[in-house]
Amino acid sequence: MMDKLDAVVIGAGVVGLAVAARLSRRLGQVLLIDRAETIGTGISGRNSEVIHAGIYYPTGSLKARLCVEGKQQLYAYCRRRGVAMNPLGKLIVATQAEQQAQLDALLIKGRANGVDDLAPLSSRQLQTLEPELSAAAGLLSPSTGIIDSHGLMLSLLAEAEEQGVIFCPLTEFISAHGHGDGFRLELNQQGERMTIDTHYLINSAGLYASQVAGRIEGLAKSIIPTLHWCKGHYFAYQGKSPFAHLIYPVPELGLKGLGIHATLDLGGQLKFGPDTQYLAPDSQESYGVHDTLRQGFFETISRYYPNLDIDRLIPAYAGIRPKLQGPDDNEVADFLIQGEAEHGMHGLVNLLGIESPGLTASLAIAKEVSRRLETL
C-alpha cells in the first residue's frame, strides 16, 4: 500500500463507493477502506431499495435537493452502466378522508422541492390502478422506482477500481491528526498497524461516522453530533403480489419514518416495512426480525390492504439507520455534511446522519463532497 495518498474514504457503503468513484476521476491515489470483509454490509445492504422522488423532505434542505438531483443522476447512471432498476411508480394513499389535508400538503411540498410529476388520484382512480387497495385518495409519484442496490455498489466499485482506487476491506480506522497539508492516519488491517498520509479524508462510516469523527485529532467535539440508531424490520409476503406499484400510507404524525409501506423488488417479491424502533445508546448491531412483530405489521398494513393474509407474512430482514433525529425530537433532521467551512480543517469532510434517502442521493452526495473539497 502506498504511504502517501491523495484521498482516503472511510466506509464502503453506497455513499462511500460513490465518493471514491467521483474523486478518482481527478485524483490519482484514492484508498477506500471498510472494517467489514466486503462492500455494503451495513445500511446500504439493508433497506427498501427504493429510488425516492424527493417529496417528503423540508424544502431547501440537503435531503430535498440531493434526493431530487440524485434521482436523476441515478436513473442515468443505471442506464449507462446496465444496473437493474424499474421506475414502476409509487402511490401515497390516505386511508381516511380526514387525511386529505396531509396529501395536499405533500403535493405542495413535493412540487416546491422540484418533483413536478405528482398527480392527485381519487378513490375510484386508485381502485382502477390497484383493485386490492383500500384508500380514500392518493398521489401518484411516477418517478419513484426500485433498484438493485448491490448491483449499483458493484458497479461503483468496478468504476472506482478502473480509475485506480484501492479497496481495502477488513481495515479499521484508528485515528487521524492533521499535519501540514493533510492528515496522518493510523489503520488496523487484520491486526497489522500501519500509518499513512493523505491530503483528503472523507468520513462516510455510516452508523459509526460520529465515532470516526471523534478519533480525528483537532476536530472540535462540540460539532460531533450523537447518532441515534433506529432499527427497521421488514416482512416478506409469500405468493404473488397483489400490487404493481409501491404503496405508501400517508405518514402518521409523530412517526420517525414513512410508515410501514409495501415495496417490490426487481423479482416481483412483495415486502412490507420498515417500522421504527430506536435502540438503546449502548446497543450492538443486531439484525434479527422476531415473529412477535407480525401482529403489529398485520394491523397497520390492513388499513390499506384489507385482504392481507397474516399467514403469508414472513420475517425477512432488518436495517439500522443513523438518525440525527432523536426519539423525542419532532423536527426532521437534515443530512449533515461538514467541510472546512463548518469545522475549520482543510481537506476533511464528515458525512453524518446519512440515512434515507441516502441511496437515492448517493451520486449527488459524492458531487457535493467533491465540491466541498474544491476538486470539481
Side-chain angles (χ1 to χ4, degrees):
M1 184 185 298
M2 305 169 188
D3 60 0
K4 178 65 176 179
L5 300 163
D6 291 320
V8 173
V9 180
I10 304 169
V14 67
V15 172
L17 286 159
V19 169
R22 178 89 189 193
L23 294 182
S24 64
R25 299 177 191 174
R26 295 292 183 91
L27 302 176
Q29 299 173 352
V30 178
L31 175 67
L32 173 65
I33 66 171
D34 199 290
R35 66 182 199 169
E37 62 183 357
T38 188
I39 62 173
T41 61
I43 307 164
S44 302
R46 296 176 171 276
N47 54 65
S48 299
E49 295 191 299
V50 171
I51 300 176
H52 291 285
I55 301 165
Y56 301 94
Y57 318 109
T59 302
S61 67
L62 284 172
K63 283 186 176 181
R65 177 171 66 84
L66 296 178
C67 183
V68 172
E69 292 177 7
K71 171 189 64 178
Q72 297 165 350
Q73 294 171 25
L74 195 53
Y75 277 129
Y77 183 89
C78 289
R79 288 190 289 268
R80 185 171 69 251
R81 299 279 300 188
V83 177
M85 55 82 178
N86 181 5
L88 74 176
K90 173 174 74 175
L91 298 174
I92 306 172
V93 299
T95 57
Q96 302 172 16
E98 292 77 13
Q99 295 176 316
Q100 182 64 55
Q102 292 167 258
L103 273 183
D104 295 341
L106 285 176
L107 177 62
I108 293 169
K109 181 183 287 186
R111 288 175 173 171
N113 289 349
V115 186
D116 55 9
D117 58 355
L118 297 174
L121 298 175
S122 66
S123 178
R124 179 173 294 181
Q125 289 172 314
L126 288 170
Q127 280 288 302
T128 300
L129 287 175
E130 296 287 2
E132 290 289 324
L133 185 64
S134 176
L139 288 176
L140 171 64
S141 172
S143 61
T144 300
I146 54 176
I147 187 171
D148 175 4
S149 60
H150 192 64
L152 170 64
M153 289 187 284
L154 287 174
S155 179
L156 288 168
L157 178 62
E159 178 186 355
E161 291 183 331
E162 287 165 5
Q163 295 165 171
V165 172
I166 299 171
F167 172 50
C168 286
L170 298 172
T171 301
E172 184 178 4
F173 170 81
I174 303 300
S175 64
H177 70 271
H179 70 97
D181 189 27
F183 300 85
R184 177 154 293 169
L185 275 58
E186 185 177 358
L187 308 176
N188 182 344
Q189 188 176 46
Q190 301 186 67
E192 179 182 350
R193 293 289 184 110
M194 64 183 69
T195 300
I196 59 173
D197 290 329
T198 181
H199 183 63
Y200 295 127
L201 177 60
I202 297 88
N203 170 12
S204 183
L207 294 175
Y208 300 95
S210 283
Q211 290 185 26
V212 166
R215 297 176 187 171
I216 300 173
E217 183 181 330
L219 187 65
K221 305 300 182 186
S222 60
I223 70 165
I224 303 174
T226 297
L227 292 179
H228 305 273
W229 286 12
C230 186
K231 188 174 182 179
H233 304 87
Y234 293 83
F235 276 70
Y237 197 61
Q238 290 184 320
K240 184 179 179 181
S241 170
F243 302 124
H245 299 80
L246 310 181
I247 311 295
Y248 280 58
V250 170
E252 295 181 25
L253 297 177
L255 282 182
K256 301 302 189 293
L258 300 181
I260 295 175
H261 44 265
T263 63
L264 294 161
D265 65 20
L266 290 163
Q269 172 67 58
L270 177 64
K271 57 193 175 187
F272 294 99
D275 59 355
T276 54
Q277 180 185 100
Y278 276 90
L279 303 180
D282 57 350
S283 296
Q284 302 295 312
E285 282 187 75
S286 174
Y287 295 104
V289 182
H290 299 292
D291 194 60
T292 53
L293 297 169
R294 186 201 306 245
Q295 183 63 36
F297 268 66
F298 174 77
E299 292 171 2
T300 299
I301 300 163
S302 295
R303 296 172 191 168
Y304 60 86
Y305 178 30
N307 292 328
L308 178 70
D309 181 353
I310 192 170
D311 293 329
R312 292 169 62 186
L313 281 175
I314 306 299
Y317 64 95
I320 302 174
R321 292 180 177 182
K323 286 185 170 290
L324 290 166
Q325 182 182 8
D328 299 321
D329 299 332
N330 291 321
E331 187 173 345
V332 176
D334 201 3
F335 291 152
L336 183 56
I337 302 179
Q338 294 177 338
E340 184 176 3
E342 288 74 31
H343 53 56
M345 300 184 73
H346 179 71
L348 171 66
V349 175
N350 284 317
L351 300 172
L352 301 152
I354 309 299
E355 48 150 342
S356 183
L359 173 63
T360 305
S362 56
L363 299 179
I365 292 172
K367 184 177 180 180
E368 181 72 12
V369 169
S370 182
R371 185 187 69 80
R372 304 249 181 152
L373 294 175
E374 300 179 343
T375 59
L376 278 174

